[in-house]
């Protein structure tokens, strides 16, 4: 959690403030779109994060169950050979392994879902920015230098937002584990 705040939130917050200040000097609607984008990304994390967290917790629990059964089986291997059927024990272990695999797939799907939705949102904002830039440049309200500056800020901000979506998913997985 500490690395999450240090590596992500502090630089991202500073980047958002600088981006909004620079773009508001060119065009207030651009600054508003940047803020809206950030808010939409936070809403996505807020709405989808709990499912990803729960899936990661379930996966962690299933993994612990599997390890416990494996350790028990290994420690009692002599007794299993003498008093039990090793094939039956393998089926028992396989059941726990399959549950762990299903939980891992679900956890990965929840993280993938967050990243996919965030990427779609990022793409939509790219289209909005580019069309706004072209439209305002065509009207003469945005100079070519402003065009390049806003586009460059968008690229930097876009990478940060994409990275934020990935890091949030990874952090939720880590918390669950």
């Amino acid at each position: 959690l500490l690395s999450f705040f240090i590596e992500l939130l502090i630089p991202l917050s500073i980047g958002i403030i600088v981006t909004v200040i620079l773009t508001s000097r060119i065009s207030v609607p651009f600054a508003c779109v940047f803020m809206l984008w950030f808010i939409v990304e936070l809403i996505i994390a807020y709405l989808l994060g709990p499912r990803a967290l729960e899936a990661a917790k379930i996966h962690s629990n299933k993994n612990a169950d599997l390890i416990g059964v494996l350790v028990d089986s290994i420690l009692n291997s002599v007794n299993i050979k003498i008093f039990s059927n090793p094939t039956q024990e393998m089926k028992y272990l396989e059941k726990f392994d399959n549950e762990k695999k299903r939980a891992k797939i679900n956890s990965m799907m929840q993280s993938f879902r967050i990243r996919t939705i965030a990427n779609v949102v990022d793409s939509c904002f790219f289209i909005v920015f580019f069309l706004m830039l072209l439209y305002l440049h065509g009207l003469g309200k945005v100079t070519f230098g402003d065009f390049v500056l806003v586009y460059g800020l968008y690229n930097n901000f876009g990478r940060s937002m994409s990275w934020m979506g990935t890091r949030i998913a990874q952090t939720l997985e880590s918390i669950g584990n």
Side-chain angles (χ1 to χ4, degrees):
L1 284 175
L2 186 60
S3 71
F4 175 74
F5 284 106
I6 291 172
E7 292 176 6
L8 179 67
L9 291 184
I10 293 172
L12 189 60
S13 299
I14 292 169
I16 288 168
I17 292 167
V18 169
T19 300
V20 168
I21 290 171
L22 287 174
T23 53
S24 66
R25 300 184 99 212
I26 296 167
S27 172
V28 174
F30 282 123
C32 292
V33 172
F34 273 118
M35 288 303 298
L36 178 65
W37 185 4
F38 181 68
I39 291 168
V40 168
E41 292 280 351
L42 288 179
I43 290 170
I44 290 169
Y46 178 76
L47 293 176
L48 299 179
R51 283 185 179 175
L53 179 59
E54 184 61 29
K57 283 180 183 178
I58 290 170
H59 172 251
S60 182
N61 289 337
K62 295 295 182 185
N63 192 43
D65 292 345
L66 175 63
I67 290 171
V69 170
L70 280 170
V71 167
D72 188 45
S73 181
I74 290 169
L75 291 176
N76 293 309
S77 62
V78 173
N79 291 336
I80 291 170
K81 286 180 183 177
I82 295 172
F83 298 109
S84 180
N85 182 355
T87 306
Q88 183 180 359
E89 185 69 17
M90 286 302 293
K91 287 180 183 177
Y92 181 69
L93 291 172
E94 192 174 302
K95 178 187 122 189
F96 282 91
D97 187 45
N98 288 336
E99 287 176 4
K100 182 218 174 236
K101 285 177 188 174
R102 282 192 295 277
K104 177 64 177 175
I105 289 169
N106 185 37
S107 179
M108 290 172 59
M109 290 303 293
Q110 294 300 329
S111 294
F112 178 74
R113 186 174 178 205
I114 291 173
R115 289 185 205 130
T116 301
I117 291 172
N119 286 338
V120 168
V121 167
D122 294 348
S123 297
C124 290
F125 274 100
F126 171 77
I127 292 167
V128 168
F129 268 104
F130 198 71
L131 292 176
M132 283 177 65
L133 279 169
L134 287 175
Y135 178 72
L136 292 175
H137 182 67
L139 293 177
K141 294 185 179 187
V142 173
T143 66
F144 185 71
D146 293 340
F147 186 99
V148 171
L149 175 66
V150 172
Y151 188 75
L153 287 170
Y154 164 80
N155 278 331
N156 188 35
F157 193 78
R159 280 193 296 274
S160 296
M161 295 308 284
S162 177
W163 186 59
M164 181 181 81
T166 300
R167 287 290 294 166
I168 286 173
Q170 289 171 345
T171 301
L172 290 172
E173 242 180 83
S174 296
I175 291 170
N177 290 334

